[in-house]
Amino acid sequence: MKKPPGEEPKDALTVTPPQKWAAGVPAVRHALEYSLEQTSPGRVGETLLTMNQVDGIDCPGCAWADPAPGKRHRNEYCENGAKHITDEATGRRITADFFRTHPVSELGRRSDMWLNQQGRLTEPMVKRPGSDTYEPISWHDALGLLAEELTALDSPDEAVFYTSGRASNEAAFLYQLFARAFGTNNLPDCSNLCHESSGFALHETLGTGKGTVSLDDLHHTDLIFLVGQNPGSNHPRMLSALEEAKHNGARIIAVNPLPETGLRRFKNPQKARGVVGPGTQIADRFLHIRLGGDMALFQGLNRLLLEAEDARPGQVLDHDFIRTHTTGFDEFAAHVRAVDWQDVAAATGLTREEIEQVRDEVLRSRRVIVCWAMGITQHKHAVPTIREFVNFLMLRGNLGRAGTGACPVRGHSNVQGDRTVGIWEQMPDSFLDALQREFGFDPPRAHGLDSVDSIRAMREGRIKVFLGLAGNFVRAAPDSAVTEDALRRCRLTAQISTKLNRSHTVCGDTALILPTLGRTERDVQADGEQFVTVENSMSEVHTSRGRLRPASPLLLSEVAILCRLARRTLGDRVDVPWERFEADYGTIRDRISRIVPGLHDYNRRVVRPGGIQLPNPVNEGVFHTATGTALFTRNTGEAPGVPAGHLLLQTLRSHDQWNTVPYSTDDRYRGIHGSRRVVLVNPGDLAELGLTEGQWVDLVGVWTDDTERRAEGFKVVPYPSARGCAAAYYPETQVLVPLDSVAEFSNQPASKAVLVRLEPTTAFT
Ligand SMILES: Nc1nc2c(c(=O)[nH]1)N[C@H]1C(S)=C(S)[C@@H](COP(=O)(O)OP(=O)(O)OC[C@H]3O[C@@H](n4cnc5c(=O)[nH]c(N)nc54)[C@H](O)[C@@H]3O)O[C@H]1N2
Ligand SMILES: Nc1nc2c(c(=O)[nH]1)N[C@H]1C(S)=C(S)[C@@H](COP(=O)(O)OP(=O)(O)OC[C@H]3O[C@@H](n4cnc5c(=O)[nH]c(N)nc54)[C@H](O)[C@@H]3O)O[C@H]1N2
Ligand SMILES: [Mo]
């Protein structure tokens, strides 16, 4: 038998029962082990102790908010945050020699994990047309080459500028300024793949794309829904907030096809009871829902609430809120009253009694919060589902009051800030007008390409240059074969990166690696040491200051790279002081403060402990919608069907990875050790499909086109996932997600609902 493809070390799967509680002492031990493997004890201490402290480094992991300045722990980080930061602060280095001995074609056969493990990128590299090897190039020549390719385009719209949510506000602002001054709105970002559906639905119904909940709201509420989210692995510090909420009397309802460990019990390593005691039970109620069943669940719940109002008129709904702040109630109510219970049962896999019990919890709660993440946004009907959450919240006035609201839990540490400062292919005219006033050029008005449309355009040869600011576009995007082919059609692909990844191995005719400083590193420019600023999931903007010596003297900061590139490309075509911006990031923030509402007086306010809280109009009763009110909506859309012989597959994260970058082959909480090539299937489905535990299978995608999408060599693991619903890790399964399988309205890949067949493997013969 051949070894499974793309996996190092060799498959050595062991499966243990899923863990019953999250975090606790082992989490801290795992974090330190990983850290010490990567770098020295001194560097570990230096980074970890300033992490998420006032004037320290903002964790480059998730976007969860920090407690108020006086309430932070000495160690204000989680196991995974510690891993992310030491992954960047690693002592390992990639030099020009490395690329001499590893041609691009060979790197392309390595696993994502192996590529990341090689260490930090240290100098600019170029792969020339016809060559299979990266060779060193000076910064001057690298940026000159990129500028030349950009200026040679027939139209600025033949370039795309991708951003991943690690980029600071300063870098992101300059990036969009450069793209728009150059003449295009082609600014796809990771948000297109992440919370685009949330942004769309919230904008439409509430007039803002952001969540309305603060940490304080979460701490003091009566009922929290955790829908489509795995906080134990992906937002571990959220567990501390949930624990506090529980200690204050809140109840929690988790809705998930998987009984995730972090939803069960949390042992807080920062507290004595977490180290020695049984920890805190997180979810009081668990709804074992089918993939894509959430809209039906909330419609059923909304129907029950309307009927409760019929039974006790004036006592269930918040008529005052509905009258003063909303439109569309009657149409919505008529629609939801007609919801069919059989449809709800089929879509959710839940019984009516279970939903009635949830209704009773809701009726007992004066304050309710709904939290959600990728389990909601990455579905075909994501936008209507989130609109239904909004309907649900508004029925009882759970919006704009303390302890209530909508909480899309963001992924990347600054994904929200990047949007605030202009990374979006469809920024509103008010922003573009402000840009025009400030810098005197006329920004393009036509909407640009998002991530999925960028791939389509590349595939059709309409895009010639791809530039990535952070991230790993090739692995983050769906339909690997299609996306890789699309990228290879470009004349030039260039990546501003800290670590090696797959996107460096899928090259246009020419390819550039532009290595940059990470957040952990000291950033010294002409006017002295600089800091950057970022915005978390709760709209708090604060500083992040790195302390470590840069991984290489040849690294430039993202800001410096962008300023130099802009000067080389645009010359004096626009009146932007790029050199000043590079020397003193405060001058960038001055400009932002005049363009972005809420960031006025940016430099002075952001350095105060805790930073700036951006206002959320919803919490002031203001709705920037077409009607000036919040909207009730009527939502339709069938839950994804699962024909006999098939499974619906969700592609998700393990406990030990950061998005496209696996750190190990373990997923401790789910009891998976030694391999990521596993598919988790309900035991009942296994029996029905005639499959056995431990069997090797290929996952074969089923879509409306005739393209075969096959992910080879996965081991079957029986797992308590909802019936008909399987799970496997992203990005290994990226090859299965069809480019055209997207959420309606938001154009976000539906990577949590991929129809597959499981076939005996062809990989090892
Ligand atoms: N350690 C770590 N932290 C991270 C990341 C990471 O990779 N590693 N990534 C960051 C980023 S960018 C993001 S966006 C977030 C992602 O955070 P999550 O959204 O928690 O990430 P996923 O692993 O995609 O998990 C999706 C969860 O939704 C559930 N789910 C899937 N489909 C459905 C459904 O139809 N209905 C319901 N109710 N549940 C469903 C899955 O079972 C799973 O528990 O995490 C951020 N934090
Ligand atoms: N099938 C499937 N696909 C998905 C998802 C899914 O659940 N399933 N999730 C989607 C989601 S939610 C997201 S957010 C995207 C993630 O998509 P991306 O944000 O594009 O991917 P990451 O894996 O976070 O990018 C990691 C790379 O970023 C670079 N990097 C790290 N830090 C820095 C820095 O400070 N500066 C610079 N310049 N570079 C840096 C490193 O080179 C590293 O290799 O993937 C999406 N794709
Ligand atoms: Mo994300």
Tab-separated table of all heavy atoms in Angstrom, residues 17 46 58 89 128 135 138 146 202 227 297 312 385 394 402 454 514 564 596 601 645 698 714 764:
chain	number	residue	atom	x	y	z
A	17	PRO	N	-11.944	8.470	22.371
A	17	PRO	CA	-13.244	9.149	22.491
A	17	PRO	C	-13.033	10.664	22.536
A	17	PRO	O	-12.027	11.134	23.088
A	17	PRO	CB	-13.785	8.647	23.832
A	17	PRO	CG	-13.009	7.410	24.139
A	17	PRO	CD	-11.675	7.566	23.485
A	46	GLU	N	9.098	36.511	25.988
A	46	GLU	CA	8.964	37.890	25.540
A	46	GLU	C	7.658	38.132	24.776
A	46	GLU	O	7.031	39.164	24.903
A	46	GLU	CB	10.135	38.189	24.592
A	46	GLU	CG	10.889	39.455	24.915
A	46	GLU	CD	12.035	39.612	23.911
A	46	GLU	OE1	12.816	38.648	23.725
A	46	GLU	OE2	12.118	40.665	23.309
A	58	ASP	N	-1.130	42.472	19.778
A	58	ASP	CA	-2.463	41.895	19.627
A	58	ASP	C	-2.275	40.494	19.107
A	58	ASP	O	-1.517	40.265	18.165
A	58	ASP	CB	-3.273	42.722	18.628
A	58	ASP	CG	-4.658	42.127	18.410
A	58	ASP	OD1	-5.424	42.117	19.373
A	58	ASP	OD2	-4.937	41.669	17.295
A	89	ALA	N	6.942	33.523	15.486
A	89	ALA	CA	8.215	33.854	16.142
A	89	ALA	C	9.219	32.705	16.067
A	89	ALA	O	10.254	32.729	16.723
A	89	ALA	CB	7.946	34.217	17.608
A	128	ARG	N	11.255	33.295	-12.450
A	128	ARG	CA	11.116	33.938	-13.765
A	128	ARG	C	10.364	33.020	-14.728
A	128	ARG	O	10.285	31.809	-14.513
A	128	ARG	CB	12.500	34.257	-14.334
A	128	ARG	CG	13.373	34.999	-13.357
A	128	ARG	CD	13.974	36.225	-13.976
A	128	ARG	NE	14.785	36.934	-12.988
A	128	ARG	CZ	14.608	38.203	-12.682
A	128	ARG	NH1	13.658	38.912	-13.263
A	128	ARG	NH2	15.401	38.783	-11.806
A	135	GLU	N	14.708	32.467	-7.274
A	135	GLU	CA	16.067	32.969	-7.026
A	135	GLU	C	15.969	34.321	-6.329
A	135	GLU	O	14.951	35.007	-6.426
A	135	GLU	CB	16.827	33.094	-8.350
A	135	GLU	CG	16.070	33.929	-9.363
A	135	GLU	CD	16.654	33.857	-10.770
A	135	GLU	OE1	16.246	32.955	-11.530
A	135	GLU	OE2	17.497	34.713	-11.058
A	138	SER	N	16.647	41.754	-5.486
A	138	SER	CA	16.679	42.866	-4.525
A	138	SER	C	15.268	43.442	-4.395
A	138	SER	O	14.425	43.259	-5.279
A	138	SER	CB	17.615	43.965	-5.036
A	138	SER	OG	17.037	44.561	-6.190
A	146	LEU	N	7.184	44.365	-10.323
A	146	LEU	CA	5.746	44.370	-10.053
A	146	LEU	C	5.106	45.651	-10.616
A	146	LEU	O	4.054	45.616	-11.277
A	146	LEU	CB	5.535	44.242	-8.538
A	146	LEU	CG	4.149	44.142	-7.959
A	146	LEU	CD1	3.263	43.195	-8.723
A	146	LEU	CD2	4.231	43.690	-6.495
A	202	LEU	N	-26.801	41.496	7.710
A	202	LEU	CA	-26.941	42.536	8.746
A	202	LEU	C	-27.095	43.922	8.118
A	202	LEU	O	-27.873	44.748	8.579
A	202	LEU	CB	-25.750	42.491	9.707
A	202	LEU	CG	-25.650	41.221	10.571
A	202	LEU	CD1	-24.400	41.249	11.436
A	202	LEU	CD2	-26.896	41.046	11.447
A	227	VAL	N	-24.431	29.151	17.668
A	227	VAL	CA	-24.926	28.438	16.489
A	227	VAL	C	-23.818	28.336	15.444
A	227	VAL	O	-23.252	29.349	15.019
A	227	VAL	CB	-26.128	29.184	15.865
A	227	VAL	CG1	-26.923	28.248	14.980
A	227	VAL	CG2	-27.012	29.787	16.927
A	297	LEU	N	-34.934	25.895	11.793
A	297	LEU	CA	-35.038	25.914	13.255
A	297	LEU	C	-35.560	27.265	13.742
A	297	LEU	O	-36.491	27.341	14.552
A	297	LEU	CB	-33.660	25.624	13.887
A	297	LEU	CG	-33.548	25.917	15.381
A	297	LEU	CD1	-34.454	25.002	16.199
A	297	LEU	CD2	-32.101	25.788	15.865
A	312	ARG	N	-51.066	34.568	24.888
A	312	ARG	CA	-50.951	35.561	25.983
A	312	ARG	C	-50.701	36.930	25.365
A	312	ARG	O	-49.588	37.463	25.418
A	312	ARG	CB	-49.779	35.187	26.902
A	312	ARG	CG	-50.016	33.913	27.707
A	312	ARG	CD	-48.938	33.714	28.762
A	312	ARG	NE	-47.648	33.339	28.193
A	312	ARG	CZ	-46.484	33.887	28.523
A	312	ARG	NH1	-46.423	34.849	29.415
A	312	ARG	NH2	-45.377	33.485	27.974
A	385	THR	N	-30.726	32.757	6.498
A	385	THR	CA	-30.639	32.215	7.864
A	385	THR	C	-30.301	33.333	8.855
A	385	THR	O	-30.916	33.444	9.923
A	385	THR	CB	-29.567	31.108	7.928
A	385	THR	OG1	-29.898	30.097	6.978
A	385	THR	CG2	-29.492	30.494	9.316
A	394	MET	N	-35.541	40.468	17.037
A	394	MET	CA	-36.391	41.661	17.075
A	394	MET	C	-37.761	41.387	17.688
A	394	MET	O	-38.364	42.277	18.283
A	394	MET	CB	-36.542	42.235	15.665
A	394	MET	CG	-35.202	42.747	15.124
A	394	MET	SD	-35.350	43.905	13.769
A	394	MET	CE	-36.256	42.975	12.570
A	402	ALA	N	-28.871	46.534	26.592
A	402	ALA	CA	-27.748	45.855	27.241
A	402	ALA	C	-28.050	44.365	27.346
A	402	ALA	O	-29.184	43.966	27.624
A	402	ALA	CB	-27.517	46.445	28.624
A	454	SER	N	-13.042	36.787	-8.754
A	454	SER	CA	-11.644	36.950	-9.186
A	454	SER	C	-11.145	35.666	-9.829
A	454	SER	O	-10.442	35.693	-10.841
A	454	SER	CB	-10.731	37.280	-8.000
A	454	SER	OG	-11.031	38.549	-7.492
A	514	LEU	N	7.436	38.319	-1.421
A	514	LEU	CA	7.844	39.569	-0.768
A	514	LEU	C	7.721	39.357	0.742
A	514	LEU	O	6.623	39.457	1.301
A	514	LEU	CB	6.950	40.716	-1.254
A	514	LEU	CG	6.874	40.865	-2.786
A	514	LEU	CD1	5.827	41.889	-3.194
A	514	LEU	CD2	8.235	41.246	-3.357
A	564	ARG	N	6.426	51.774	-1.038
A	564	ARG	CA	7.431	51.761	-2.106
A	564	ARG	C	6.836	51.291	-3.422
A	564	ARG	O	7.154	51.821	-4.486
A	564	ARG	CB	8.612	50.880	-1.704
A	564	ARG	CG	9.374	51.502	-0.539
A	564	ARG	CD	10.526	50.637	-0.096
A	564	ARG	NE	10.993	51.109	1.208
A	564	ARG	CZ	12.125	50.724	1.778
A	564	ARG	NH1	12.909	49.851	1.167
A	564	ARG	NH2	12.467	51.201	2.954
A	596	VAL	N	-12.754	57.850	7.905
A	596	VAL	CA	-13.606	56.803	8.489
A	596	VAL	C	-14.374	57.359	9.691
A	596	VAL	O	-13.762	57.743	10.695
A	596	VAL	CB	-12.750	55.594	8.927
A	596	VAL	CG1	-13.621	54.547	9.588
A	596	VAL	CG2	-12.005	55.011	7.738
A	601	ASP	N	-9.807	61.739	15.468
A	601	ASP	CA	-8.843	61.895	16.566
A	601	ASP	C	-8.165	60.565	16.893
A	601	ASP	O	-7.865	60.246	18.047
A	601	ASP	CB	-9.590	62.418	17.809
A	601	ASP	CG	-8.670	63.201	18.720
A	601	ASP	OD1	-7.508	63.418	18.332
A	601	ASP	OD2	-9.111	63.568	19.823
A	645	GLY	N	-27.380	7.070	-0.459
A	645	GLY	CA	-26.032	6.717	-0.925
A	645	GLY	C	-25.049	7.875	-0.845
A	645	GLY	O	-23.890	7.738	-1.229
A	698	ASP	N	-12.256	7.298	-0.885
A	698	ASP	CA	-12.110	8.582	-1.570
A	698	ASP	C	-13.398	9.359	-1.347
A	698	ASP	O	-14.486	8.762	-1.337
A	698	ASP	CB	-11.926	8.394	-3.086
A	698	ASP	CG	-10.586	7.779	-3.438
A	698	ASP	OD1	-9.729	7.673	-2.536
A	698	ASP	OD2	-10.402	7.401	-4.617
A	714	PHE	N	-8.999	8.867	2.455
A	714	PHE	CA	-9.446	9.304	3.788
A	714	PHE	C	-9.891	8.093	4.584
A	714	PHE	O	-10.520	7.180	4.035
A	714	PHE	CB	-10.611	10.296	3.663
A	714	PHE	CG	-10.172	11.669	3.236
A	714	PHE	CD1	-9.723	11.895	1.947
A	714	PHE	CD2	-10.175	12.720	4.135
A	714	PHE	CE1	-9.289	13.148	1.547
A	714	PHE	CE2	-9.747	13.978	3.758
A	714	PHE	CZ	-9.298	14.195	2.459
A	764	PHE	N	-4.163	4.002	-3.356
A	764	PHE	CA	-2.988	3.190	-2.978
A	764	PHE	C	-2.740	2.030	-3.918
A	764	PHE	O	-2.000	1.125	-3.608
A	764	PHE	CB	-3.160	2.654	-1.554
A	764	PHE	CG	-3.586	3.712	-0.585
A	764	PHE	CD1	-4.615	3.488	0.310
A	764	PHE	CD2	-2.945	4.943	-0.586
A	764	PHE	CE1	-4.996	4.476	1.196
A	764	PHE	CE2	-3.333	5.933	0.301
A	764	PHE	CZ	-4.357	5.700	1.190
